[in-house]
PDB file of all heavy atoms in Angstrom:
ATOM      1  N   THR D  38      16.582  15.878 -15.022  1.00 74.00           N
ATOM      2  CA  THR D  38      15.388  15.391 -15.753  1.00 74.00           C
ATOM      3  C   THR D  38      14.195  16.306 -15.469  1.00 74.00           C
ATOM      4  O   THR D  38      14.087  16.898 -14.410  1.00 74.00           O
ATOM      5  CB  THR D  38      15.016  13.981 -15.300  1.00 74.00           C
ATOM      6  OG1 THR D  38      14.772  13.962 -13.913  1.00 74.00           O
ATOM      7  CG2 THR D  38      16.123  12.973 -15.643  1.00 74.00           C
ATOM      8  N   LYS D  39      13.340  16.365 -16.463  1.00 74.00           N
ATOM      9  CA  LYS D  39      12.076  17.143 -16.376  1.00 74.00           C
ATOM     10  C   LYS D  39      10.913  16.306 -16.938  1.00 74.00           C
ATOM     11  O   LYS D  39      11.089  15.708 -18.010  1.00 74.00           O
ATOM     12  CB  LYS D  39      12.186  18.439 -17.139  1.00 74.00           C
ATOM     13  CG  LYS D  39      13.242  19.413 -16.687  1.00 74.00           C
ATOM     14  CD  LYS D  39      12.878  20.003 -15.369  1.00 74.00           C
ATOM     15  CE  LYS D  39      14.002  20.997 -15.014  1.00 74.00           C
ATOM     16  NZ  LYS D  39      14.147  21.180 -13.647  1.00 74.00           N
ATOM     17  N   ALA D  40       9.829  16.309 -16.239  1.00 73.00           N
ATOM     18  CA  ALA D  40       8.634  15.640 -16.789  1.00 73.00           C
ATOM     19  C   ALA D  40       7.861  16.709 -17.608  1.00 73.00           C
ATOM     20  O   ALA D  40       7.745  17.871 -17.190  1.00 73.00           O
ATOM     21  CB  ALA D  40       7.737  15.170 -15.603  1.00 73.00           C
ATOM     22  N   ILE D  41       7.425  16.268 -18.762  1.00 74.00           N
ATOM     23  CA  ILE D  41       6.642  17.156 -19.619  1.00 74.00           C
ATOM     24  C   ILE D  41       5.262  16.599 -19.869  1.00 74.00           C
ATOM     25  O   ILE D  41       5.011  15.436 -19.446  1.00 74.00           O
ATOM     26  CB  ILE D  41       7.365  17.372 -20.967  1.00 74.00           C
ATOM     27  CG1 ILE D  41       7.556  16.092 -21.716  1.00 74.00           C
ATOM     28  CG2 ILE D  41       8.710  18.111 -20.716  1.00 74.00           C
ATOM     29  CD1 ILE D  41       8.140  16.255 -23.121  1.00 74.00           C
ATOM     30  N   ASP D  42       4.422  17.327 -20.569  1.00 71.00           N
ATOM     31  CA  ASP D  42       3.090  16.878 -20.892  1.00 71.00           C
ATOM     32  C   ASP D  42       2.273  16.404 -19.625  1.00 71.00           C
ATOM     33  O   ASP D  42       1.683  15.365 -19.615  1.00 71.00           O
ATOM     34  CB  ASP D  42       3.150  15.704 -21.913  1.00 71.00           C
ATOM     35  CG  ASP D  42       1.798  15.348 -22.516  1.00 71.00           C
ATOM     36  OD1 ASP D  42       0.929  16.259 -22.559  1.00 71.00           O
ATOM     37  OD2 ASP D  42       1.577  14.197 -22.859  1.00 71.00           O
ATOM     38  N   MET D  43       2.298  17.257 -18.642  1.00 65.00           N
ATOM     39  CA  MET D  43       1.610  16.969 -17.433  1.00 65.00           C
ATOM     40  C   MET D  43       0.067  16.973 -17.620  1.00 65.00           C
ATOM     41  O   MET D  43      -0.447  17.891 -18.227  1.00 65.00           O
ATOM     42  CB  MET D  43       1.947  17.997 -16.351  1.00 65.00           C
ATOM     43  CG  MET D  43       3.434  18.106 -16.007  1.00 65.00           C
ATOM     44  SD  MET D  43       4.038  16.707 -15.040  1.00 65.00           S
ATOM     45  CE  MET D  43       3.328  17.072 -13.455  1.00 65.00           C
ATOM     46  N   GLU D  44      -0.562  15.912 -17.169  1.00 63.00           N
ATOM     47  CA  GLU D  44      -2.015  15.864 -17.175  1.00 63.00           C
ATOM     48  C   GLU D  44      -2.530  16.648 -16.005  1.00 63.00           C
ATOM     49  O   GLU D  44      -1.925  16.692 -14.946  1.00 63.00           O
ATOM     50  CB  GLU D  44      -2.508  14.399 -17.097  1.00 63.00           C
ATOM     51  CG  GLU D  44      -2.172  13.591 -18.284  1.00 63.00           C
ATOM     52  CD  GLU D  44      -2.779  12.215 -18.229  1.00 63.00           C
ATOM     53  OE1 GLU D  44      -3.477  11.895 -17.246  1.00 63.00           O
ATOM     54  OE2 GLU D  44      -2.539  11.433 -19.130  1.00 63.00           O
ATOM     55  N   ALA D  45      -3.656  17.328 -16.225  1.00 53.00           N
ATOM     56  CA  ALA D  45      -4.246  18.102 -15.101  1.00 53.00           C
ATOM     57  C   ALA D  45      -4.747  17.153 -14.062  1.00 53.00           C
ATOM     58  O   ALA D  45      -5.477  16.240 -14.359  1.00 53.00           O
ATOM     59  CB  ALA D  45      -5.390  18.937 -15.664  1.00 53.00           C
ATOM     60  N   GLN D  46      -4.249  17.348 -12.869  1.00 60.00           N
ATOM     61  CA  GLN D  46      -4.677  16.492 -11.685  1.00 60.00           C
ATOM     62  C   GLN D  46      -5.406  17.389 -10.716  1.00 60.00           C
ATOM     63  O   GLN D  46      -4.912  18.410 -10.310  1.00 60.00           O
ATOM     64  CB  GLN D  46      -3.426  15.916 -11.013  1.00 60.00           C
ATOM     65  CG  GLN D  46      -2.654  14.921 -11.877  1.00 60.00           C
ATOM     66  CD  GLN D  46      -3.421  13.644 -12.060  1.00 60.00           C
ATOM     67  OE1 GLN D  46      -4.168  13.226 -11.239  1.00 60.00           O
ATOM     68  NE2 GLN D  46      -3.184  12.970 -13.152  1.00 60.00           N
ATOM     69  N   ASP D  47      -6.591  16.966 -10.374  1.00 62.00           N
ATOM     70  CA  ASP D  47      -7.353  17.725  -9.363  1.00 62.00           C
ATOM     71  C   ASP D  47      -7.529  16.942  -8.072  1.00 62.00           C
ATOM     72  O   ASP D  47      -8.356  17.256  -7.233  1.00 62.00           O
ATOM     73  CB  ASP D  47      -8.712  18.174  -9.928  1.00 62.00           C
ATOM     74  CG  ASP D  47      -9.554  17.017 -10.347  1.00 62.00           C
ATOM     75  OD1 ASP D  47      -9.156  15.849 -10.272  1.00 62.00           O
ATOM     76  OD2 ASP D  47     -10.696  17.276 -10.773  1.00 62.00           O
ATOM     77  N   SER D  48      -6.811  15.821  -7.971  1.00 69.00           N
ATOM     78  CA  SER D  48      -6.869  15.020  -6.765  1.00 69.00           C
ATOM     79  C   SER D  48      -5.475  14.416  -6.482  1.00 69.00           C
ATOM     80  O   SER D  48      -4.575  14.447  -7.332  1.00 69.00           O
ATOM     81  CB  SER D  48      -7.890  13.924  -6.908  1.00 69.00           C
ATOM     82  OG  SER D  48      -7.462  13.051  -7.944  1.00 69.00           O
ATOM     83  N   LEU D  49      -5.315  13.958  -5.278  1.00 82.00           N
ATOM     84  CA  LEU D  49      -4.066  13.282  -4.873  1.00 82.00           C
ATOM     85  C   LEU D  49      -4.139  11.838  -5.216  1.00 82.00           C
ATOM     86  O   LEU D  49      -5.164  11.203  -5.123  1.00 82.00           O
ATOM     87  CB  LEU D  49      -3.843  13.484  -3.388  1.00 82.00           C
ATOM     88  CG  LEU D  49      -3.697  14.924  -2.921  1.00 82.00           C
ATOM     89  CD1 LEU D  49      -3.622  15.008  -1.438  1.00 82.00           C
ATOM     90  CD2 LEU D  49      -2.495  15.575  -3.575  1.00 82.00           C
ATOM     91  N   GLU D  50      -3.033  11.272  -5.608  1.00 83.00           N
ATOM     92  CA  GLU D  50      -2.950   9.855  -6.007  1.00 83.00           C
ATOM     93  C   GLU D  50      -1.711   9.241  -5.331  1.00 83.00           C
ATOM     94  O   GLU D  50      -0.850   9.940  -4.798  1.00 83.00           O
ATOM     95  CB  GLU D  50      -2.812   9.752  -7.542  1.00 83.00           C
ATOM     96  CG  GLU D  50      -3.969  10.268  -8.324  1.00 83.00           C
ATOM     97  CD  GLU D  50      -5.223   9.431  -8.291  1.00 83.00           C
ATOM     98  OE1 GLU D  50      -5.143   8.270  -7.813  1.00 83.00           O
ATOM     99  OE2 GLU D  50      -6.271   9.917  -8.719  1.00 83.00           O
ATOM    100  N   ALA D  51      -1.548   7.956  -5.460  1.00 88.00           N
ATOM    101  CA  ALA D  51      -0.366   7.239  -5.006  1.00 88.00           C
ATOM    102  C   ALA D  51       0.787   7.541  -6.015  1.00 88.00           C
ATOM    103  O   ALA D  51       0.618   7.374  -7.224  1.00 88.00           O
ATOM    104  CB  ALA D  51      -0.598   5.751  -4.915  1.00 88.00           C
ATOM    105  N   ALA D  52       1.924   7.985  -5.466  1.00 89.00           N
ATOM    106  CA  ALA D  52       3.067   8.260  -6.301  1.00 89.00           C
ATOM    107  C   ALA D  52       3.498   7.050  -7.106  1.00 89.00           C
ATOM    108  O   ALA D  52       4.064   7.111  -8.209  1.00 89.00           O
ATOM    109  CB  ALA D  52       4.219   8.794  -5.515  1.00 89.00           C
ATOM    110  N   GLU D  53       3.246   5.865  -6.538  1.00 93.00           N
ATOM    111  CA  GLU D  53       3.600   4.607  -7.178  1.00 93.00           C
ATOM    112  C   GLU D  53       2.977   4.426  -8.564  1.00 93.00           C
ATOM    113  O   GLU D  53       3.426   3.671  -9.392  1.00 93.00           O
ATOM    114  CB  GLU D  53       3.277   3.410  -6.313  1.00 93.00           C
ATOM    115  CG  GLU D  53       4.133   3.271  -5.040  1.00 93.00           C
ATOM    116  CD  GLU D  53       3.601   4.068  -3.866  1.00 93.00           C
ATOM    117  OE1 GLU D  53       2.709   4.922  -4.010  1.00 93.00           O
ATOM    118  OE2 GLU D  53       4.122   3.773  -2.712  1.00 93.00           O
ATOM    119  N   LEU D  54       1.787   5.144  -8.808  1.00 91.00           N
ATOM    120  CA  LEU D  54       1.203   5.071 -10.098  1.00 91.00           C
ATOM    121  C   LEU D  54       2.162   5.540 -11.190  1.00 91.00           C
ATOM    122  O   LEU D  54       2.244   4.965 -12.272  1.00 91.00           O
ATOM    123  CB  LEU D  54      -0.091   5.864 -10.114  1.00 91.00           C
ATOM    124  CG  LEU D  54      -1.254   5.259  -9.413  1.00 91.00           C
ATOM    125  CD1 LEU D  54      -2.384   6.248  -9.209  1.00 91.00           C
ATOM    126  CD2 LEU D  54      -1.748   4.012 -10.078  1.00 91.00           C
ATOM    127  N   ASP D  55       2.885   6.661 -10.947  1.00 90.00           N
ATOM    128  CA  ASP D  55       3.893   7.139 -11.867  1.00 90.00           C
ATOM    129  C   ASP D  55       5.051   6.121 -12.024  1.00 90.00           C
ATOM    130  O   ASP D  55       5.535   5.919 -13.130  1.00 90.00           O
ATOM    131  CB  ASP D  55       4.382   8.495 -11.476  1.00 90.00           C
ATOM    132  CG  ASP D  55       3.522   9.680 -11.932  1.00 90.00           C
ATOM    133  OD1 ASP D  55       2.602   9.421 -12.759  1.00 90.00           O
ATOM    134  OD2 ASP D  55       3.725  10.785 -11.504  1.00 90.00           O
ATOM    135  N   LEU D  56       5.421   5.498 -10.917  1.00 93.00           N
ATOM    136  CA  LEU D  56       6.496   4.487 -10.981  1.00 93.00           C
ATOM    137  C   LEU D  56       6.034   3.322 -11.902  1.00 93.00           C
ATOM    138  O   LEU D  56       6.807   2.892 -12.745  1.00 93.00           O
ATOM    139  CB  LEU D  56       6.850   3.956  -9.601  1.00 93.00           C
ATOM    140  CG  LEU D  56       7.836   2.821  -9.512  1.00 93.00           C
ATOM    141  CD1 LEU D  56       9.209   3.285 -10.078  1.00 93.00           C
ATOM    142  CD2 LEU D  56       7.926   2.347  -8.082  1.00 93.00           C
ATOM    143  N   GLY D  57       4.825   2.914 -11.742  1.00 94.00           N
ATOM    144  CA  GLY D  57       4.287   1.833 -12.623  1.00 94.00           C
ATOM    145  C   GLY D  57       4.279   2.227 -14.111  1.00 94.00           C
ATOM    146  O   GLY D  57       4.583   1.382 -14.943  1.00 94.00           O
ATOM    147  N   LYS D  58       3.956   3.483 -14.376  1.00 91.00           N
ATOM    148  CA  LYS D  58       4.053   3.933 -15.785  1.00 91.00           C
ATOM    149  C   LYS D  58       5.469   3.910 -16.319  1.00 91.00           C
ATOM    150  O   LYS D  58       5.707   3.569 -17.453  1.00 91.00           O
ATOM    151  CB  LYS D  58       3.468   5.329 -15.935  1.00 91.00           C
ATOM    152  CG  LYS D  58       1.946   5.392 -15.793  1.00 91.00           C
ATOM    153  CD  LYS D  58       1.283   4.612 -16.901  1.00 91.00           C
ATOM    154  CE  LYS D  58       1.028   5.450 -18.127  1.00 91.00           C
ATOM    155  NZ  LYS D  58       0.144   4.852 -19.104  1.00 91.00           N
ATOM    156  N   LEU D  59       6.442   4.268 -15.468  1.00 91.00           N
ATOM    157  CA  LEU D  59       7.858   4.180 -15.905  1.00 91.00           C
ATOM    158  C   LEU D  59       8.228   2.718 -16.230  1.00 91.00           C
ATOM    159  O   LEU D  59       8.882   2.419 -17.202  1.00 91.00           O
ATOM    160  CB  LEU D  59       8.807   4.720 -14.850  1.00 91.00           C
ATOM    161  CG  LEU D  59       9.149   6.214 -14.897  1.00 91.00           C
ATOM    162  CD1 LEU D  59      10.040   6.611 -13.762  1.00 91.00           C
ATOM    163  CD2 LEU D  59       9.714   6.605 -16.213  1.00 91.00           C
ATOM    164  N   PHE D  60       7.724   1.853 -15.375  1.00 94.00           N
ATOM    165  CA  PHE D  60       7.994   0.434 -15.581  1.00 94.00           C
ATOM    166  C   PHE D  60       7.296  -0.097 -16.904  1.00 94.00           C
ATOM    167  O   PHE D  60       7.757  -1.043 -17.459  1.00 94.00           O
ATOM    168  CB  PHE D  60       7.557  -0.412 -14.379  1.00 94.00           C
ATOM    169  CG  PHE D  60       8.573  -0.548 -13.304  1.00 94.00           C
ATOM    170  CD1 PHE D  60       9.359   0.522 -12.848  1.00 94.00           C
ATOM    171  CD2 PHE D  60       8.837  -1.772 -12.738  1.00 94.00           C
ATOM    172  CE1 PHE D  60      10.326   0.381 -11.869  1.00 94.00           C
ATOM    173  CE2 PHE D  60       9.787  -1.958 -11.736  1.00 94.00           C
ATOM    174  CZ  PHE D  60      10.523  -0.836 -11.318  1.00 94.00           C
ATOM    175  N   GLN D  61       6.226   0.560 -17.208  1.00 93.00           N
ATOM    176  CA  GLN D  61       5.538   0.208 -18.479  1.00 93.00           C
ATOM    177  C   GLN D  61       6.564   0.418 -19.638  1.00 93.00           C
ATOM    178  O   GLN D  61       6.605  -0.391 -20.548  1.00 93.00           O
ATOM    179  CB  GLN D  61       4.349   1.126 -18.702  1.00 93.00           C
ATOM    180  CG  GLN D  61       3.447   0.770 -19.842  1.00 93.00           C
ATOM    181  CD  GLN D  61       2.251   1.631 -19.865  1.00 93.00           C
ATOM    182  OE1 GLN D  61       1.387   1.547 -18.985  1.00 93.00           O
ATOM    183  NE2 GLN D  61       2.138   2.477 -20.838  1.00 93.00           N
ATOM    184  N   SER D  62       7.425   1.416 -19.562  1.00 90.00           N
ATOM    185  CA  SER D  62       8.436   1.662 -20.569  1.00 90.00           C
ATOM    186  C   SER D  62       9.653   0.751 -20.411  1.00 90.00           C
ATOM    187  O   SER D  62      10.117   0.100 -21.342  1.00 90.00           O
ATOM    188  CB  SER D  62       8.926   3.107 -20.528  1.00 90.00           C
ATOM    189  OG  SER D  62       7.913   3.983 -20.942  1.00 90.00           O
TER     190      SER D  62
END
Side-chain angles (χ1 to χ4, degrees):
T38 58
K39 299 287 182 208
I41 61 171
D42 191 28
M43 300 287 287
E44 291 185 3
Q46 295 289 331
D47 60 358
S48 64
L49 298 175
E50 300 284 351
E53 289 89 345
L54 288 168
D55 276 348
L56 176 62
K58 286 298 274 191
L59 272 179
F60 272 47
Q61 187 174 294
S62 292

